[in-house]
Amino acid sequence: MLNGEAHVNFQIMVMSCGAVDREKEKKVVFVTVGTTCFDALVKSVDSRHVRNELKKRGYTNLLIQMGRGSYIPRKSCGEDESLVVDYFTFSPSIADYMRSASLIISHAGSGSIFETLRLRKPLIVVVNEDLMDNHQSELAEELAERKHLFCASPQTLGQTIQTMDLDSLLPFQSGDGLPVAKLINKFLGFPAE
C-alpha cells in the first residue's frame, strides 16, 4: 500500500479529516508486525474492543504497519470521537513512527523490541502463537517479567491495554558487550587493544 510516504500521508489524512482538535494532545499508538504476516495482531487492534480500550486510555491516533498481511484494517477519520486510524504495508524505515508514538504495540521480533526499549517507549509485545518453536515468546515473557514491557496474545490485547500501568515499567539498560568481545578476541588469539 504505502511506503516511505506513509508518515506524510498519515499527517495529511489527520489534517484533512479534521478529527484532531488542535487544543488536544495527539497520542499515537504505532503497531508494527515487521516484515511478517501477523493478521491476528492486525485484526486484534482493528477490533472494536481494542480500539475502545485505546480510546479510554486517551490515545487519539492508531497507525498500523501491517507487513505482508492480507487483513485490511478499517481506516477512520476519527468521526464520533473515535480513533483516527490509518495503515501501510512497508516503509524504508519505521524509526520516525516509533519516535513519535506514545505507545508501541509490536510483534515479538527482537529488533523491534530492543529498538522500542532503546527509545524508552511503552511497549506491548504481542506473541504470534501460530509460530512453531517460538523462541521470541521466551524473550518477550522474560522482559515482561523484568517489567520492561507488557506481553499479550492477540486474544488478550484488549485486557492488557485495559489493565496496563505504564508507571510500573522499568527502563531497560542495554548491556556493555565490550568485555564479551574482548574475551572472544582473546580466545581466538587476536591481540588485545
Side-chain angles (χ1 to χ4, degrees):
M1 168 79 87
L2 300 174
N3 54 24
E5 301 169 355
H7 185 68
V8 172
N9 290 343
F10 183 62
Q11 297 299 342
I12 291 168
M13 181 187 146
V14 169
M15 292 186 305
S16 68
C17 288
V20 177
D21 183 348
R22 301 265 184 242
E23 304 292 317
K24 188 175 174 181
E25 179 185 349
K26 183 168 80 167
K27 288 179 67 177
V28 176
V29 177
F30 178 60
V31 179
T32 179
V33 303
T35 59
T36 66
C37 172
F38 194 1
D39 279 346
L41 172 53
V42 177
K43 285 178 186 177
S44 181
V45 295
D46 193 38
S47 72
R48 182 180 313 255
H49 175 64
V50 169
R51 285 185 182 206
N52 286 343
E53 290 303 328
L54 289 170
K55 187 69 179 168
K56 285 180 194 174
R57 298 299 299 251
Y59 296 102
T60 59
N61 299 67
L62 176 62
L63 181 59
I64 304 166
Q65 182 268 316
M66 55 184 266
R68 299 186 195 288
S70 59
Y71 177 82
I72 306 297
R74 293 170 289 132
K75 286 189 177 193
S76 170
C77 285
E79 56 279 339
D80 300 327
E81 297 297 314
S82 64
L83 292 170
V84 174
V85 180
D86 202 0
Y87 63 87
F88 63 97
T89 54
F90 296 103
S91 176
S93 172
I94 62 170
D96 288 340
Y97 305 121
M98 294 175 90
R99 277 192 288 277
S100 66
S102 300
L103 172 68
I104 297 174
I105 300 174
S106 175
H107 69 120
S110 60
S112 297
I113 290 173
F114 287 115
E115 179 64 16
T116 303
L117 294 176
R118 186 185 66 74
L119 291 171
R120 298 193 185 276
K121 296 289 183 174
L123 173 62
I124 300 173
V125 172
V126 180
V127 175
N128 187 345
E129 297 164 330
D130 294 336
L131 296 178
M132 295 174 62
D133 189 29
N134 195 351
H135 63 279
Q136 293 179 339
S137 66
E138 294 170 8
L139 173 64
E141 289 164 4
E142 178 65 26
L143 290 169
E145 190 172 306
R146 294 180 183 202
K147 303 213 179 289
H148 298 304
L149 53 82
F150 300 102
C151 191
S153 68
Q155 297 80 15
T156 64
L157 181 58
Q159 180 67 28
T160 301
I161 294 166
Q162 182 181 25
T163 60
M164 70 181 177
D165 176 8
L166 298 181
D167 293 331
S168 72
L169 291 175
L170 301 173
F172 178 78
Q173 302 296 324
S174 23
D176 181 8
L178 189 58
V180 174
K182 285 182 179 181
L183 183 63
I184 292 170
N185 283 341
K186 181 179 176 184
F187 177 77
L188 295 174
F190 295 122
E193 291 180 18

